Amino acid sequence: MTNQYSELVEQYERDGYAIIRNVIDAQLVKECQQHVDFLQKKYPTIPGEHLHHPIMRNDPFWIRLVSDQRLLDLAAIFGKPFIEPDKGIALFSSHYFSKPPKTGMAVLWHQDGAYWPLKPMNVLTMWLAVDRSDRENGCLRVIRGSHKQGLTDLKEDVSVTNVLGSYTHRDEDINQNDVVDMILEPGDISIHHPNIVHGSDANTSDRRRCGLTIRYMAPTTECIDKTQPVMMMSGAAVQGINHYRSWPKYRSGYDFSFSGCEQWNEKRRIVPEDEQYFERTDYDQMDKEIEEEVLSFVAKLGGKKPYAEL
């Protein structure tokens, strides 16, 4: 499999990104699209651009998706040398960016690693296209080769409506000849280095633009934020590094129904001291807590007030 992707691995090392076509099959892509619709109906006050990891923590389909062996195989190939499949692959976080038609927000130029509480920064980002992504609906744009730069300090900017409320680079810092538009079809994957400068324009089209970011890391990487719901995807945890969470339990009538959901609870990875969370049955209260946590997280971006107050 490595030889199949050798040219793309070389491109990733040289340019800081790579695109792999048709990674996820059409049926799973359809489930992804339905899943996003399900989440936005379930959490109507959360903007589509901010379907964050507190939701993932309680969502079995989400973890079914990011634990897909096809994705883990790619993480092992492109994450060398720090990701070694025989030593395990961990998940730092995951986030749906679902830009609605006409109103989907821009993302200013930034480096992901500038935001992340990881030590060392041994992490690899995948971006799974749930919808077609192009210039008209605000596709991801990367600066070729910019991953060779060090990480730059964040600067707040709420002068224009944007997802993160901050940036690391201004337009005048960017060589436009190095800008690459990541044109992706549903099921395609793009892979990015944590230092690469990237962003996206607002969605002014009549079409939604949704993608799922997935951040894989080595189990030897420490997440300094102990509230982050990190999970092991494969292999064993390294003792003394990170507090890992159980994979979410599937609860019929509450969770999104997906292919294989009936067998999911037999496959999920369990951390015994974390299981009390999934013994809860006060689902309305759980959803309220998740919604409040996400909106609180969003409110901290760029010093903004919670969305409920805007």
Side-chain angles (χ1 to χ4, degrees):
M1 189 173 181
T2 303
N3 291 336
Q4 178 185 352
Y5 295 109
S6 57
E7 291 185 7
L8 288 174
V9 170
E10 290 177 8
Q11 180 193 352
Y12 173 75
E13 294 173 349
R14 180 185 67 246
D15 297 332
Y17 74 93
I19 293 175
I20 303 95
R21 303 292 183 186
N22 300 312
V23 176
I24 297 299
D25 60 89
Q27 178 58 38
L28 186 51
V29 167
K30 183 178 180 180
E31 285 191 315
C32 292
Q33 294 166 342
Q34 294 170 339
H35 183 231
V36 175
D37 293 337
F38 171 87
L39 293 178
Q40 295 199 272
K41 184 177 180 181
K42 187 176 185 180
Y43 302 107
T45 67
I46 298 178
E49 295 93 341
H50 286 291
L51 300 172
H52 283 286
H53 53 266
I55 304 172
M56 175 198 76
R57 157 88 168 110
N58 193 43
D59 191 290
F61 175 76
W62 200 320
I63 302 305
R64 176 266 174 268
L65 180 58
V66 299
S67 64
D68 191 285
Q69 192 60 49
R70 291 167 290 191
L71 303 184
L72 298 181
D73 287 344
L74 289 175
I77 291 168
F78 287 86
K80 288 181 179 179
F82 62 86
I83 291 181
E84 302 175 74
D86 60 324
K87 295 184 179 179
I89 298 174
L91 179 76
F92 162 53
S93 72
S94 184
H95 177 177
Y96 277 116
F97 286 89
S98 181
K99 294 187 181 185
K102 298 295 186 182
T103 61
M105 291 185 280
V107 180
L108 304 183
W109 295 116
H110 68 285
Q111 297 166 293
D112 284 342
Y115 293 85
W116 292 344
L118 299 178
K119 183 181 179 181
M121 193 58 65
N122 287 340
V123 59
L124 179 84
T125 294
M126 288 189 190
W127 202 99
L128 168 63
V130 177
D131 303 325
R132 174 175 167 81
S133 181
D134 52 42
R135 281 302 305 277
E136 287 71 28
N137 66 355
C139 70
L140 183 70
R141 311 181 79 201
V142 303
I143 310 304
R144 183 190 294 111
S146 58
H147 66 300
K148 297 175 183 176
Q149 305 174 17
L151 293 175
T152 303
D153 291 338
L154 294 171
K155 302 172 185 67
E156 180 182 325
D157 189 345
V158 293
S159 62
V160 294
T161 301
N162 70 93
V163 174
L164 301 176
S166 57
Y167 68 94
T168 59
H169 293 69
R170 288 284 198 187
D171 282 338
E172 52 265 31
D173 302 325
I174 303 302
N175 182 342
Q176 295 300 316
N177 293 327
D178 292 331
V179 176
V180 180
D181 296 321
M182 309 296 274
I183 310 299
L184 303 174
E185 296 294 338
D188 291 348
I189 290 276
S190 61
I191 297 180
H192 320 116
H193 191 280
N195 287 28
I196 198 166
V197 179
H198 62 290
S200 62
D201 294 333
N203 181 6
T204 58
S205 77
D206 295 322
R207 296 171 290 119
R208 187 183 74 177
R209 192 233 68 177
C210 183
L212 176 68
T213 63
I214 311 164
R215 288 81 181 238
Y216 296 114
M217 66 181 187
T220 50
T221 291
E222 179 184 5
C223 180
I224 298 170
D225 180 358
K226 302 307 179 186
T227 66
Q228 185 78 14
V230 293
M231 299 180 191
M232 288 297 299
M233 296 288 99
S234 67
V238 176
Q239 188 173 3
I241 300 179
N242 297 323
H243 167 59
Y244 291 103
R245 309 297 183 91
S246 292
W247 288 9
K249 184 178 181 180
Y250 177 74
R251 294 141 297 188
S252 179
Y254 171 66
D255 291 307
F256 175 72
S257 178
F258 58 95
S259 177
C261 60
E262 297 85 358
Q263 294 79 41
W264 173 255
N265 291 340
E266 301 170 9
K267 301 176 181 178
R268 58 189 284 260
R269 295 173 70 100
I270 293 174
V271 180
E273 58 269 29
D274 190 51
E275 280 298 277
Q276 184 175 358
Y277 182 84
F278 295 107
E279 294 174 4
R280 294 179 61 177
T281 57
D282 55 335
Y283 298 143
D284 288 345
Q285 178 61 28
M286 291 174 72
D287 288 343
K288 181 180 178 182
E289 291 171 5
I290 290 168
E291 199 162 26
E292 289 175 350
E293 184 177 356
V294 173
L295 292 176
S296 175
F297 178 84
V298 172
K300 296 175 184 177
L301 299 174
K304 293 188 226 177
K305 296 180 180 179
Y307 274 84
E309 298 179 13
L310 292 181

